Amino acid sequence: MEKGMNRLSEELVKALQGEKIVTLATLDSQTNLPQLSAVSWVLAAEDGTKVRIAVGHKASTVDNIGHNPNVVLGVIGAGSYYSVRGTAEVSDIYEKTMKLRIITVHVEEVEDVIFYGGRITVEPAYEKTYNPELAKKLDEEVYELLRQ
């Protein structure tokens, strides 16, 4: 992918259809220093112009985005590591099994930032360490919200 693309490639859209570890960089609302969060409830729009992320309603990223909507997502997918820069907005609180907010990132620039000659051959995997029935219920509720 060329530097400066203004939307996700089809391959990255496919990679961002949930259960994917993505890093979210914001500026801390108190210190103005970079803050990094790992998120996994992620869904990219089919046209590659938006990425929606679910977070807990008290997540520090919510306040950060309220003070400065500029964000960067770090995405491993399509054989590489991508920086997805954009502006974000945060929804009101959704009261489900847990209180959630949806962050919508409007994609402005996508850049392949892997080091020279590097290629991702195995993507990170993770497991949820809490109650499996609760995890399934939360996932169903969250992805229903993200698809709206």
Side-chain angles (χ1 to χ4, degrees):
M1 182 174 299
E2 297 174 23
K3 181 176 180 173
M5 297 289 290
N6 66 355
R7 65 180 56 221
L8 301 170
S9 68
E10 189 176 321
E11 199 172 6
L12 274 178
V13 168
K14 286 179 185 172
L16 292 173
Q17 294 302 309
E19 298 305 307
K20 180 77 143 181
I21 298 173
V22 172
T23 55
L24 170 61
T26 58
L27 288 177
D28 185 281
S29 62
Q30 303 299 312
T31 65
N32 214 34
L33 295 172
Q35 181 179 338
L36 196 61
S37 301
V39 294
S40 65
W41 284 323
V42 179
L43 192 67
E46 286 184 26
D47 65 2
T49 62
K50 290 188 286 198
V51 178
R52 299 187 79 208
I53 301 162
V55 296
H57 75 291
K58 291 184 179 179
S60 58
T61 54
V62 169
D63 287 336
N64 295 350
I65 291 167
H67 282 82
N68 184 332
N70 297 298
V71 301
V72 175
L73 301 175
V75 178
I76 294 174
S80 198
Y81 189 79
Y82 294 90
S83 167
V84 179
R85 187 179 53 77
T87 54
E89 58 189 11
V90 180
S91 73
D92 290 333
I93 295 172
Y94 291 97
E95 296 208 29
K96 298 292 185 178
T97 299
M98 66 181 275
K99 292 181 181 178
L100 301 163
R101 291 187 187 253
I102 304 298
I103 297 170
T104 301
V105 177
H106 300 276
V107 176
E108 295 173 359
E109 182 180 48
V110 179
E111 183 179 358
D112 186 335
V113 293
I114 193 82
F115 52 87
Y116 177 76
R119 180 167 149 13
I120 303 292
T121 56
V122 178
E123 292 189 25
Y126 68 94
E127 65 182 11
K128 295 177 181 171
T129 58
Y130 55 97
N131 180 302
E133 290 84 28
L134 177 59
K136 184 176 190 283
K137 182 178 182 182
L138 282 171
D139 287 348
E140 288 170 358
E141 290 177 354
V142 166
Y143 286 107
E144 184 179 324
L145 285 174
L146 290 175
R147 287 186 184 95
Q148 292 180 2

